[in-house]
Each structure stands twice: as C-alpha cells, then as structure tokens.
C-alpha cells in the first residue's frame, strides 16, 4: 500500500510526513521522493502478538511518499508531468491544504483548492485517454483489427465520457475485460483522495465547525477531509507513547493524525485485514473487501493459491474470547471453507494446500 502526500509549496506536507513517520524519515535534499513505512495500528494484531509471543511479527504497513511535488520544474504548473507520473504509482493520495497562514480557516478557499486539485487529476487523465483513443482509431480501421483493441477502445470511451461529465471514474461499472484493459493507465481520477486541512494551533478546536461546509462538499464529492495541525502532530509523534494521549487531549484532539489518516485510507480503499497466527509468526495481511479465500491465499504466496484445498477460518471475536486458535477450535468455532468463501475483516486463516 503506497500513499502519495502532495500539496502546494509550504502547505505542511513534509511536517505531516514527519509526524506520520515519527520523525524517523530523513528530509530529501535531492529530487527523489522520500519514503516512510508506517505500521498500521491494530489492537487485534497487538493482542495476537501477546497471545502467541511469536519469534517474528509482521504488522500491516503503509508506504507514505513525500516530496512528490518537487519532481520536475515546469513553469505555471504546481505539479509537473513527472510528479503526476509518480502519483500514478500510488494506491491513494493525501492532499495537504494550507489553512494556517490566513487567520481563521476559510471554508470557501479550502473547498476551491480541493476541487481544483480533483479537476487537475481529471484533466491529466483526459489528456492521456484522448491521446490513446486517437492512436487506437488509426489501428482499428481495418477488418483485421485485434479484438483486444476494440475492448480497450470501448473502455476508454466510457472513461472519457465520465471525465468530461465530471463523474467519478471509480464509479464506472466496467466489465472485467474492460477493467483489465484500462488498469495499466493507473488513472489518477480513479484513486481515492483524502484531504488533510492543516490549520494553526489557535484554531485546532474550532476548525471543524468553521470548515464544516467545505468538509461536507468534499465528502459529497467522494473525498473525505479532516483538520489537523501538522506542527502539533509532529511534536506529539516524538513523545513517548504513554505521553501522547495526554498531550493531544490538551488541544482537544482524541487520536493522532496517523490513526485518523490510516483509517481513512482503509475506508476509501475498501481494505480489510486478515491474520495468520502461529508461535513462529503473527502476520497481518491487508486485503480488498469482498475478496475470497483464494484471493487471501494468493496474497500470502502464489503456491498456496495454486494448490488450494480448503481454508480453516476462525473469526477474530472467537479467537479473542477463547484465548487463541487452539482454544477456539476446541470450542467448535473453526470453519472449513472453499475458495469462493468471502473473507471478513479480522478473520484468522490457515490455508490447506498441496502443490
């Protein structure tokens, strides 16, 4: 899971990035983006680790990428083609809006900047889609045109129509073959976008009310937003874990930005987590919601999917209440399921396979 952090110059992108990485990532002095791997907080995983005390722990992680916007030097553009190309490789985008240098946060200014960015993503996609459609049109004129080109053309026509009408590309219900045909374009307008509105310390408590109209408008556009003070969050991230909650409470903040942003990413990307547990390793695996037992097996290793026989599944509440896998199994909570079984958030799995 790779999340790009972008925004206008001096909006607080790198400060937010440092808060997410707890100050452990180095600021780049080159033109290369900076990566910081952040552990996904999960109380279920923590309890499993305490139950099993394994030799190895593998929590779910997110790769946050900072300084994408510094790529390229194109005038009159906040984001160069090179920067947009880097953004295409991400799974989701966090856009940071500066609302701390102008006194009280301005809801209309925040809404306008956010909508401008969403329009920019659509325009960049439209340029690529139209260029590709022009090339395809020259190739499909003859009777021997490959069927795959026709599928791609049909899919891109639908994408173009949605982009021109201002509709969300992610809402297109494309047939599986058409979805595969456009997947390689890594469309920016299809990626989840989360807006982080960076406000001053003096307005951290009243910002949600002041920016309410903007937040509602962005939510209606399919892009959630939340307020934060990047400076406060950076300071908090460098405190010992046991002191963070008290420090945040002093500002009326209930949880660190890391938790809020990661939760938003999981919700917008429609991700769940399943677990594999043993005394050797406790591992948390992110998985798209609606995935099957076969998909889960493949995410662990392709051999497990290739030789899949059955999956043993115990739900998280049953593991928790029984005190472990063996205890839950003895209580009759284990289910044997086939490859089409849909995995639920928190399920613990053991894959039976033979290659």
């Amino acid at each position: 899971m790779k999340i790009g952090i972008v925004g206008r110059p001096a909006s607080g992108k790198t400060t937010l990035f440092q808060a997410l990485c707890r100050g452990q990532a180095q600021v780049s002095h080159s033109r290369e983006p900076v990566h910081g791997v952040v552990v996904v907080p999960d109380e279920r995983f923590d309890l499993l680790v305490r139950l099993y005390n394994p030799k190895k722990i593998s929590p779910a992680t997110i790769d946050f990428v900072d300084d994408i916007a510094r790529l390229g030097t194109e005038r009159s553009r906040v984001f160069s083609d090179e920067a947009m190309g880097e953004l295409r490789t991400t799974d989701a985008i966090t856009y940071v809006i500066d609302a701390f240098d102008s006194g009280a946060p301005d809801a209309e200014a925040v809404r306008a900047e956010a909508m401008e960015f969403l329009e920019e993503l659509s325009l960049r996609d439209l340029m690529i889609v139209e260029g590709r459609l022009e090339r395809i049109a020259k190739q499909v004129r003859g009777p021997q045109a490959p069927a795959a080109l026709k599928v791609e053309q049909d899919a891109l026509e639908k994408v173009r129509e949605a982009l021109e009408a201002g509709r969300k590309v992610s809402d297109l219900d494309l047939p599986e073959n058409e979805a595969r045909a456009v997947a390689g374009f890594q469309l920016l307008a299809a990626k989840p976008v989360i807006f982080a509105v960076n406000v001053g310390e003096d307005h951290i408590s009243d910002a949600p009310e002041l920016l309410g109209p903007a937040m509602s408008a962005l939510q209606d556009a399919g892009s959630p937003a939340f307020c934060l003070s990047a400076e406060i969050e950076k300071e908090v991230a460098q405190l010992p874990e046991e002191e963070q909650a008290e420090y945040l409470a002093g500002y009326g903040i209930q949880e660190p930005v890391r938790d809020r942003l990661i939760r938003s990413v999981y919700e917008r990307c429609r991700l769940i987590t399943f677990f594999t547990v043993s005394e050797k390793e406790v591992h948390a695996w992110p998985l798209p919601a609606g995935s099957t037992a076969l998909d889960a097996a493949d995410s662990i290793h392709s051999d497990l999917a290739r030789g899949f026989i059955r999956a043993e599944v115990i739900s998280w509440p049953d593991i928790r209440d029984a005190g472990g896998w063996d205890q839950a199994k003895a209580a009759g909570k284990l289910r044997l399921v086939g490859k089409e079984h849909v995995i639920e958030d928190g399920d613990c799995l053991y894959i039976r396979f033979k290659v």
Side-chain angles (χ1 to χ4, degrees), residues 47 316-324:
L47 178 57
W316 158 250
D318 290 334
I319 290 276
R320 177 197 59 204
D321 296 343

Side-chain angles (χ1 to χ4, degrees), residues 45-57:
F45 179 81
D46 296 339
L47 178 57
L48 289 171
V49 169
R50 293 196 297 271
L51 286 175
Y52 284 88
N53 191 26
K55 295 178 181 178
K56 180 181 179 181
I57 61 171

Side-chain angles (χ1 to χ4, degrees), residues 61-96:
T61 59
I62 291 180
D63 179 14
F64 285 100
V65 190
D66 185 31
D67 277 350
I68 290 177
R70 75 164 62 194
L71 293 173
T73 56
E74 297 174 40
R75 293 181 179 179
S76 77
R77 282 184 173 180
V78 176
F79 304 107
S80 67
D81 289 339
E82 189 180 1
M84 286 297 185
E86 179 69 23
L87 268 186
R88 290 188 188 279
T89 69
T90 65
D91 299 292
I93 301 168
T94 297
Y95 184 91
V96 183

Side-chain angles (χ1 to χ4, degrees), residues 24 62 90 117-118 152 171 176 182 200 225 238 249 270 313 324 355:
Q24 296 177 3
I62 291 180
T90 65
F117 178 68
L118 294 177
E152 183 182 350
D171 286 345
E176 185 177 345
V182 300
Q238 299 180 45
R270 297 188 66 248
V313 181
V355 177

Side-chain angles (χ1 to χ4, degrees), residues 6-248:
V6 293
R8 292 178 179 175
S11 59
K13 303 180 299 296
T14 297
T15 305
L16 172 59
F17 178 74
Q18 290 290 319
L20 293 168
C21 300
R22 300 189 174 186
Q24 296 177 3
Q26 298 298 313
V27 177
S28 174
H29 298 290
S30 69
R31 294 177 63 248
E32 292 299 318
V34 183
H35 292 253
V37 178
V38 177
V39 171
V40 175
D42 193 325
E43 293 179 351
R44 301 169 302 180
F45 179 81
D46 296 339
L47 178 57
L48 289 171
V49 169
R50 293 196 297 271
L51 286 175
Y52 284 88
N53 191 26
K55 295 178 181 178
K56 180 181 179 181
I57 61 171
S58 300
T61 59
I62 291 180
D63 179 14
F64 285 100
V65 190
D66 185 31
D67 277 350
I68 290 177
R70 75 164 62 194
L71 293 173
T73 56
E74 297 174 40
R75 293 181 179 179
S76 77
R77 282 184 173 180
V78 176
F79 304 107
S80 67
D81 289 339
E82 189 180 1
M84 286 297 185
E86 179 69 23
L87 268 186
R88 290 188 188 279
T89 69
T90 65
D91 299 292
I93 301 168
T94 297
Y95 184 91
V96 183
I97 296 177
D98 169 10
F100 59 85
D101 274 344
S102 56
D106 185 335
E108 178 53 29
V110 168
R111 187 203 65 80
E113 182 176 339
M115 298 307 293
E116 181 182 344
F117 178 68
L118 294 177
E119 290 170 5
E120 175 77 3
L121 298 182
S122 294
L123 286 172
R124 295 301 183 105
D125 282 344
L126 194 56
M127 290 168 59
I128 288 178
V129 168
E130 289 181 335
R132 178 57 181 160
L133 281 171
E134 288 177 6
R135 293 191 295 274
I136 291 178
K138 297 175 182 179
Q139 296 174 281
V140 298
R141 287 173 182 167
Q144 303 300 321
L149 270 183
K150 180 59 177 170
V151 171
E152 183 182 350
Q153 184 182 43
D154 291 344
L156 289 176
E157 290 284 5
K158 295 174 184 176
V159 171
R160 179 170 66 180
E161 181 182 348
L163 290 171
E164 290 178 339
R167 298 198 308 271
K168 292 174 60 180
V169 175
S170 56
D171 286 345
L172 286 175
D173 188 18
L174 297 176
E176 185 177 345
N177 61 339
E178 292 186 3
R180 287 198 303 268
V182 300
F185 291 94
Q186 299 177 308
L187 296 170
L188 293 166
K191 297 183 184 298
V193 178
I194 299 161
F195 290 99
V197 184
N198 188 14
V199 302
E201 293 183 18
D202 294 341
H203 291 286
I204 192 64
S205 59
D206 60 2
E209 181 179 353
L210 292 171
L211 296 174
M215 301 300 194
S216 297
L218 294 176
Q219 187 69 45
D220 291 343
S223 296
F226 62 88
C227 301
L228 76 150
S229 168
E231 282 294 341
I232 291 176
E233 297 288 351
K234 183 180 177 182
E235 293 172 6
V236 170
Q238 299 180 45
L239 293 174
E241 194 83 36
E242 61 274 12
E243 297 179 15
Q244 292 184 12
E246 182 179 355
Y247 189 94
L248 288 171

